[in-house]
């Protein structure tokens, strides 16, 4: 009996390995496992055995039956899976159902990148109107009326007192008038310059202005903060320099250049922002005591660095909004 | 400002520093070098050549075959210039030379069967002048083989320096030298010169009277008699050419030389053309026009400052001289004007004349009142030297109210407070002294500094701190490595717009940014636009009253490049004139808008579905989803109009508290025609400023249903002109609160329904939060609704 059980177990195992489809599998089930199959018959035979043989045979029989059942289940799963494949073929290479995402304008993406860095450094974000008063845009920022410094910024005038802002700096004035120091904020927005439209210049562009007023703000901190910014924005290995410059509303004033190295052309310094310590006259104009409070300010254009970063050679691309341009970013 | 390094070295000896080092120093100190022209490099491969032989080219009439010795060997060169002759010394470009005029690199060529290995150059080809009449013939004493740059005295480097408006003192070679002297800690060497004066006194030959001393605080004059007006000598011509100034004659060239040396604009009058040999400085008054020396009639304002003689005006002060007193080749006696004018006065005049000259550019930024006599003497000395003239004894100098030096206090601690870095006191004093700012008093805490009037920009302590920082070098002030961050609340006013952008891009919209300036014709069609006083062009003469024209322009441009299927949005400001005259911010309304637009088709060329045109309901779906995302879906009130707008065929408005916040629909054909758009466009304009003000309530979680809901479908046949919203309204009104939701899910029209009829199918959802609804309860509700619709809207339930 023991030998017979072993032999049947081996026969089953051999037979089921050859099974390839559900029909053959069913034949095996009928032969071995169905109610009238070989295994139920073995259990009937077992009942008839003398008492002393039962423990050994019973143990083996159970063991072989379990192995058989497990093996059958395993093969059955395989056959079923295989069967489902062959029933209908799916062309998996068909394109996916299109759910196209749009995109923010590339200039907005650049501005958001800049914003994110300064928000991380504890700056707030404020906005102001584009149609400004001459006072906020020039006079409060220490541009005397009829001064050559005004020639630096070609202005679209509405009349003697109103204009399209030439920089985001008037938002500084609005902020300082309405808020008590400490003030730490950036001010992104659109600004206008009365220039002919060409590949290199447009009548409007985007700026991000920054301002920090407190009792212990220093030029060294301005430098440190902006260095941190350029490293985060252009990468840790960016080469930069601060050089002296002139803006009516800051003193000392500086410009920050980064080294731009195209692959196929000689490298050059590229001016990316102007900055400096807020001029005491500006603080006085907004009612902040310049003996007690010190501040720094900076302003950067968004277009120029975006042009370079994405190798766009014509600024008008930003404002033509050709779908083939928009889709790329 | 064009600066010659050779020239600069006469005032500060920095010849032991490299060009790169000097350029860096200048740039770091705020005198940004924008361009460097290295003549030595430019004239690499150019030498003095000797024309040994000249023959006619056998195959070309106009060409000569020359043998040129370049110092080492004889070379065959073909030359087309008519003036080439045997025995000349010429500017010879060797093979490999790059011609400055056009960047062309020379190689050996064959012209009509003859070889040519080099080129004999004209002045134009060398970029020295516009002269292209023939080749440049050099001084015969030059030795062949000499490098051309040194033979021409052009072994120089020319810097183009951008001078910021505050640094008028740097608009000369001496001015730049002063900064370099401070930076390199070297001595500034003012020009030293001696001259002999005639016994005759200047005062006897000319006089000066200032009538308007506010606009002309100082006027000095030097008189030189018996001059011979002629070409300047080579060294002077060369100096002027090197900085891009055209030599004219020895008198004018000297005034230009002194301008570039000392920064003082000068003017030379023909003394014999001055009536009464007299200079009177006064305002134009009743005189309305004046002929300047460029033969142009200039219109004058009464306030323009004029230089006059005993009878008439002879110059517009500080801007340009007059034709009537100009120095010509006939001139024998001259009066040299050296003055200090009020910057604001000159600026006003130059601006209204639209005329910017070397002189006005400097005067309007402020020149040095204390250098006028030195400059006049310098010019007199050079003119006498170059023209054989006699300098009369004495300088006429009218300076009624001497301009005082400013005294500015500087606290050492304040420097440290502003910079965040301590510069040693001795270093501070050294820097200021080197900049000609004298320290007149002081102790260990503070110093008193004497500021001469050539530094108009230094008035306050902070101005001195800048000077110290600038010369000390920003790069030498260490960056802080840590900053403190406030724990106070921060604000982000741009966040709201960004949130809208996030949702819109998620729905497949592309953001555009269009020009806020429009032509008046376009702008005025879309609202009361604001006019720009000084537009760049008529295309950009108004600010936009609406985002719509910008969007339609964008769609039109995309249609031109075969991109007809678009989902776009723009977030930007619009400008409306509320009152005709803009005196305050109340007269204008600047507001931030969001304009959504869709046009063309969706599902284009997709394998799983068929394409279709977008319509109003696509747009409505987007807008509602956007509002749901910002929790405003149940707050705004919708209204529908079939013809109520200037720009839209039909429209949907969304209001809050009776104010329209947003409006959209199908753009009218006649509006589209303005932009040559021939497909339907649907737009939605949302006023973000108003939207932002609507309070949103905190979202509160609602539990999922505990009891099953019961769903019933029904369809009505109803008159075509009854809106689905009306049916929903009647159903809702007739139901108890067990009806939780009603949704339209099918609509169709067919002849079988009857003429002017349509079928609307709805799904009704019932449930009770506290128990399972019974069949009977729902049936009762359901039939109540059906009856109501049938009776109120003359509808019929579809069987």
């Amino acid at each position: 009996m023991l030998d017979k059980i072993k032999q049947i177990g081996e026969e089953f195992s051999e037979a089921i390995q050859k099974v390839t489809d559900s029909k053959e599998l069913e034949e095996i089930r009928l032969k071995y496992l169905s109610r009238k199959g070989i295994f139920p018959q073995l259990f009937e035979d077992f009942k008839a055995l003398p008492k002393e043989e039962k423990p050994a045979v019973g143990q083996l029989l159970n063991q072989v039956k379990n192995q058989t059942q497990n093996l059958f289940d395993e093969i059955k799963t395989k056959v079923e899976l295989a069967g489902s494949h062959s029933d209908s073929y799916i062309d998996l290479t068909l394109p996916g159902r299109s759910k196209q995402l749009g995109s923010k304008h590339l200039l907005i993406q650049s501005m958001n990148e800049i914003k994110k860095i300064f928000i991380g450094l504890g700056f707030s974000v404020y906005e102001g109107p584009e149609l400004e008063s001459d006072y906020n845009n020039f006079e409060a920022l220490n541009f005397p009326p009829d001064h050559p410094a005004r020639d630096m910024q070609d202005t679209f005038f509405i009349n003697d007192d109103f204009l399209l802002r030439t920089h985001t700096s008037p938002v500084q004035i609005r902020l300082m008038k309405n808020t008590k120091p400490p003030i730490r904020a950036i001010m992104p927005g659109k600004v206008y310059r009365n220039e002919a439209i060409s590949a290199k210049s447009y009548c409007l562009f985007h700026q991000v202005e920054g301002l920090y007023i407190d009792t212990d703000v220093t030029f060294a901190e301005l430098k440190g903060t902006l260095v941190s910014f350029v490293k985060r924005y252009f990468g840790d290995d960016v080469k930069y320099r601060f050089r002296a410059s002139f803006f009516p509303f800051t003193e000392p004033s500086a410009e920050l250049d980064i080294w731009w190295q195209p692959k196929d052309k000689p490298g050059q310094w590229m001016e990316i922002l102007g900055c400096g310590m807020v001029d005491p006259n500006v603080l006085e104009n907004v009612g902040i005591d310049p003996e007690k409070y010190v501040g720094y300010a900076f302003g950067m254009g968004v277009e120029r660095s975006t042009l370079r970063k994405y190798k766009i050679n014509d600024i008008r691309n930003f404002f033509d909004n050709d779908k083939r341009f928009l889709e790329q970013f | 400002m064009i600066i010659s390094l050779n020239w600069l070295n006469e005032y500060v000896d920095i010849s032991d520093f490299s060009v790169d080092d000097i350029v860096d120093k200048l740039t770091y100190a705020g005198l940004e070098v924008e361009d460097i022209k290295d003549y030595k490099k430019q004239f690499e491969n150019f030498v003095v050549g000797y024309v040994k032989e000249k023959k006619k080219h056998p195959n070309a009439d106009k060409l000569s075959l020359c043998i040129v010795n370049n110092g080492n060997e004889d070379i065959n060169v073909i030359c087309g210039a008519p003036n080439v002759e045997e025995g000349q010394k010429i500017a010879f470009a060797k093979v490999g030379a790059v011609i400055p005029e056009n960047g062309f690199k020379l190689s050996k060529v064959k012209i009509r069967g003859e070889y040519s290995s080099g080129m004999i150059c004209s002045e134009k080809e060398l970029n020295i002048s516009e002269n292209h009449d023939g080749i440049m013939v050099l001084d015969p004493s030059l030795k062949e083989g000499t490098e051309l740059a040194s033979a021409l005295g052009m072994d120089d480097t020319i810097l183009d320096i951008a001078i910021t408006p505050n640094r008028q003192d740097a608009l000369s070679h001496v001015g730049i030298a002063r900064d370099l002297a401070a930076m390199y800690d070297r001595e500034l060497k003012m020009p030293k010169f001696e001259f002999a004066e005639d016994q005759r006194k200047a005062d006897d030959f000319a006089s000066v009277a200032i009538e308007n001393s506010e606009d002309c605080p100082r006027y000095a004059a030097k008189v030189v008699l018996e001059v011979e007006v002629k070409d300047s000598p080579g060294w002077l011509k060369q100096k002027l050419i090197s900085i891009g100034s055209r030599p004219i004659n020895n008198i004018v060239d000297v005034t230009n030389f002194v301008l570039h040396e000392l920064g003082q604009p000068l003017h030379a009058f023909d003394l014999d053309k001055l009536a009464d040999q007299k200079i009177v400085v006064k305002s134009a008054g009743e005189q309305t026009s004046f002929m300047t020396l460029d033969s142009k009639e200039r219109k004058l304002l009464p306030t323009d400052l004029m230089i006059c003689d005993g009878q008439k005006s002879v110059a517009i002060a500080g801007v340009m001289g007059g034709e009537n007193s100009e120095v010509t080749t006939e001139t024998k006696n001259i009066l040299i004007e050296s003055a200090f004018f009020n910057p604001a006065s000159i600026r006003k005049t130059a601006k209204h004349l639209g005329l910017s000259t070397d002189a006005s550019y400097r005067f309007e930024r402020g020149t040095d009142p204390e250098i006028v006599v030195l400059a006049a003497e310098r010019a007199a000395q050079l003119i006498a030297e170059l023209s054989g003239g006699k300098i009369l004894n004495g300088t006429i100098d009218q300076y009624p109210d001497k301009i005082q030096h400013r005294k500015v206090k500087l606290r050492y601690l304040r420097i440290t407070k502003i910079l965040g870095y301590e510069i040693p006191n001795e270093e501070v004093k050294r820097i200021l002294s080197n900049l000609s700012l004298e320290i007149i008093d002081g102790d260990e805490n503070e110093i008193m500094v004497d500021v001469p009037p050539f530094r108009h920009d230094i008035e306050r302590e902070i101005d001195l701190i800048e000077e110290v920082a600038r010369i000390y070098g920003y790069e030498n002030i260490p960056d802080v490595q840590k900053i403190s961050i406030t724990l106070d609340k921060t604000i982000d006013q741009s966040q709201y717009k960004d949130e809208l952008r996030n949702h819109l891009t998620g729905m497949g919209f592309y953001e555009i940014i269009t020009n806020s300036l429009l032509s008046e014709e376009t702008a005025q069609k879309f609202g009361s636009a604001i006019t720009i006083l000084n537009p760049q062009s008529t295309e950009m003469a108004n600010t936009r009253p609406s985002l719509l024209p910008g969007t339609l322009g964008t769609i039109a441009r995309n249609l031109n490049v075969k991109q007809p299927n678009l989902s776009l949005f723009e977030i930007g400001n619009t400008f409306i004139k509320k009152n005709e005259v803009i005196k305050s911010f109340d007269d204008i309304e600047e507001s931030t808008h969001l304009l959504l637009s869709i046009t063309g088709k969706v599902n284009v060329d997709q394998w799983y579905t068929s394409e279709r045109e977008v319509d109003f309901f696509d747009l409505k779906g987007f807008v509602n989803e956007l509002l749901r995302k910002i929790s405003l879906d149940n707050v705004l009130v919708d209204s529908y109009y079939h013809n109520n707008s200037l720009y839209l065929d039909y429209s949907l408005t969304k209001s809050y508290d009776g104010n329209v916040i947003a409006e959209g629909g199908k753009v009218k054909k006649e509006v589209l025609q303005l932009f040559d758009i021939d497909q339907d466009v649907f737009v939605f304009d949302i006023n973000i400023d108003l939207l932002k003000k609507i309070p949103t309530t905190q979202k509160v979680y609602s539990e999922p249903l505990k009891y099953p809901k019961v769903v019933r479908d029904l369809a009505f046949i109803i008159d075509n002109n009854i809106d689905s919203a009306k049916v929903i309204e009647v159903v809702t009104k007739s139901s108890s609160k067990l009806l939780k939701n009603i949704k339209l899910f099918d609509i169709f029209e067919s002849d079988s329904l009857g003429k002017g009829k349509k079928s609307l199918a709805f799904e009704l959802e019932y449930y009770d939060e506290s128990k399972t609804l019974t069949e009977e309860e729902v049936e009762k509700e359901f039939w109540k609704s059906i009856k109501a619709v049938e009776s109120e809207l003359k509808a019929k339930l579809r069987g």
Side-chain angles (χ1 to χ4, degrees), chain A residues 94-98 100-105 107-108 112 115 119-133 136 142 146-152 155-160 162 164 174 182 184 188 190 192 194-197 202-204 206 212 215-221 223-225 227 240-246 250-255 277 279-281 290-294 318-324 326-327, chain B residues 24 27-32 164-166 344 347-348 351 364-365 411 414 416-421 457 460-463 465-466 469-470 474-480 483-486 488-494 497-498 501-502 504-517 530-536 540 543-544 554 557-558 561 563 565-566 568-573 575 582-585 588 590 606-608 692:
Chain A
L94 285 175
R97 292 199 168 91
S98 165
Q100 204 178 16
L101 294 175
S103 66
K104 296 178 193 181
H105 195 279
L107 292 172
I108 299 291
N112 283 353
K115 250 170 24 188
I119 287 172
L121 294 173
F123 284 72
S124 285
V125 183
Y126 285 91
E127 295 183 331
E130 293 166 21
L131 204 160
E132 259 294 3
S133 64
N136 285 342
N142 201 32
D146 215 27
H147 189 269
R150 291 195 176 201
D151 295 348
M152 292 165 87
T155 310
F156 286 115
F157 288 98
I158 303 301
N159 56 33
D160 283 348
F162 287 90
L164 292 175
R174 289 171 174 270
R184 178 154 34 188
K190 235 178 233 156
Y192 298 82
N194 197 338
E195 284 170 8
I197 291 180
Y202 203 75
C203 56
L204 64 87
H206 294 78
Y212 181 27
T215 50
D216 53 358
V217 180
T218 67
F219 187 71
E221 174 165 350
K223 281 184 70 191
T225 306
V227 167
Y240 61 86
R241 69 178 187 189
F242 282 89
R243 57 184 168 79
S245 188
F246 167 73
T250 52
E251 182 145 34
S253 301
E255 277 176 282
M277 304 306 289
D279 194 288
N281 287 355
E291 260 314 295
K292 185 174 173 200
Y293 288 102
V294 184
F318 290 136
F319 308 102
D320 279 348
N321 303 299
D322 189 314
K323 191 182 180 192
R324 296 164 301 176
L326 301 173
E327 276 175 343
Chain B
D24 275 356
T27 300
Y28 278 109
L31 301 167
E32 189 191 359
T164 51
N166 58 327
R347 176 169 166 78
K348 203 174 154 200
K351 218 177 166 185
E364 71 177 61
R365 281 163 173 72
R411 295 164 291 173
R414 191 70 188 172
T416 310
K417 181 166 172 72
I418 298 286
L419 299 183
Y421 179 69
D457 58 322
R460 306 161 300 165
E461 185 176 46
I462 192 72
D463 301 324
I465 294 173
E466 177 175 59
R470 185 174 73 79
Y474 289 176
E475 69 278 18
N476 297 321
I477 299 170
D479 315 335
V480 297
I483 62 167
S484 60
I485 296 222
T486 175
D488 289 345
K489 192 176 88 171
T490 58
I491 289 168
D492 183 355
Q493 292 185 333
S494 67
K497 290 188 280 190
D498 270 339
R501 287 189 177 101
N502 287 340
L504 288 165
T505 54
M507 294 193 289
F509 282 81
Y510 286 94
E511 181 171 23
I512 59 173
I513 297 178
T514 68
N515 195 346
S516 334
L517 306 178
I530 296 166
T531 307
I532 305 223
L533 201 61
N534 56 334
Q536 186 65 230
M540 307 195 301
T543 56
R544 62 184 174 196
T554 300
R557 265 195 305 280
N558 275 289
V561 294
Q563 298 291 324
N565 309 313
L566 304 164
L568 307 173
F569 75 96
E570 176 165 20
I571 293 179
N573 291 7
F575 311 85
I582 297 167
K583 285 195 207 132
S584 80
F585 283 104
I588 45 182
E590 177 172 346
Q606 300 292 1
W607 55 271
Y608 52 85
K692 229 166 128 174

Side-chain angles (χ1 to χ4, degrees), chain B residues 42-267:
Chain B
Q42 182 174 325
F43 290 136
E44 225 172 0
N45 290 318
F46 288 80
V47 294
V48 176
Y50 171 65
V51 184
K52 236 176 152 177
E53 213 182 295
K54 177 199 166 190
K55 285 188 297 191
K56 270 195 76 170
H57 190 292
N59 307 318
D61 283 350
K62 290 187 174 164
L63 296 180
S64 316
L65 219 53
C66 302
I67 296 175
V68 173
N69 186 281
N70 69 2
N72 290 327
E73 53 183 333
D74 291 345
I75 289 168
N76 288 321
V77 181
I78 296 171
C79 180
N83 66 334
V84 64
E85 295 302 342
E86 268 177 29
Q88 282 172 337
K89 297 282 170 63
I90 46 88
F92 180 64
K94 298 200 266 191
V95 166
V98 178
I99 304 302
E101 184 195 9
N102 51 23
F104 181 75
K105 193 172 178 180
L106 283 188
S107 53
K108 186 176 177 179
V109 289
K110 199 174 180 182
I111 301 171
R112 303 225 175 163
E114 297 289 337
Y115 283 100
S116 182
S117 303
M119 183 170 146
I120 305 175
C121 303
S122 70
E123 289 186 16
K124 185 157 190 268
E125 283 154 349
L126 296 172
N127 257 357
I128 289 177
S129 79
E130 289 300 301
N131 186 352
H132 198 51
D133 295 342
I135 57 159
M136 184 181 190
V137 182
L138 303 177
D139 186 339
S141 67
L142 289 168
K143 203 172 151 18
E144 51 266 40
T146 313
E147 281 189 28
L148 188 66
S150 63
L152 292 174
M154 290 180 82
D155 46 350
D156 196 0
T157 303
I158 303 300
L159 307 179
D160 188 353
I161 303 178
I163 307 290
T164 51
N166 58 327
R167 291 300 309 279
Q168 37 61 43
D169 65 290
L171 288 167
S172 68
H173 282 74
V174 165
I176 299 285
R178 186 183 285 113
D179 263 27
L180 284 170
M183 287 183 271
Y184 286 114
D185 201 9
R186 298 246 161 127
E187 187 202 349
L188 173 69
K189 298 182 287 185
M190 289 299 280
K192 283 210 174 67
F193 54 93
E194 284 172 2
F195 56 94
E197 287 186 336
D198 202 84
Q199 293 200 333
R200 290 170 286 179
K201 283 189 159 48
D203 284 337
D204 297 336
F205 283 78
S207 67
V208 170
I210 300 176
E211 288 187 10
N212 180 348
S213 64
E214 193 188 323
D215 288 344
C216 179
R218 188 174 195 180
Y219 195 106
K222 206 72 191 150
V223 179
V224 186
L225 302 184
E226 296 147 33
V227 301
E228 187 194 345
V229 180
K230 57 181 180 185
D231 267 11
S232 295
W235 69 266
L236 180 53
K237 277 189 180 173
Q238 191 42 59
K239 265 209 161 82
L240 294 177
I241 288 171
S242 72
I243 57 161
S245 175
R246 193 166 54 93
I248 294 166
N249 59 45
N250 51 358
I251 310 298
V252 177
D253 292 353
V254 165
T255 60
N256 279 333
F257 173 87
V258 177
L259 172 79
H260 289 283
E261 181 179 56
L262 298 174
Q264 172 65 43
L266 302 172
H267 186 69

Side-chain angles (χ1 to χ4, degrees), chain B residues 633-682:
Chain B
D633 44 337
N634 292 322
V635 181
L636 298 175
V637 177
D638 290 357
S639 310
Y640 297 90
Y641 302 93
H642 285 275
N643 200 353
N644 191 37
S645 157
L646 281 173
Y647 320 109
L648 304 172
D649 268 340
Y650 47 77
S651 60
L652 158 63
T653 64
K654 290 186 174 278
S655 311
Y656 180 76
D657 241 5
N659 298 316
V660 174
I661 305 288
E663 179 181 28
K666 185 180 170 193
V667 181
K668 284 193 167 157
K669 277 246 153 36
E670 51 264 45
V671 174
L672 295 178
Q673 270 166 9
L674 298 174
F675 296 87
D676 288 330
I677 297 172
D678 57 2
Q679 65 184 38
D680 289 348
V681 175
F682 301 88

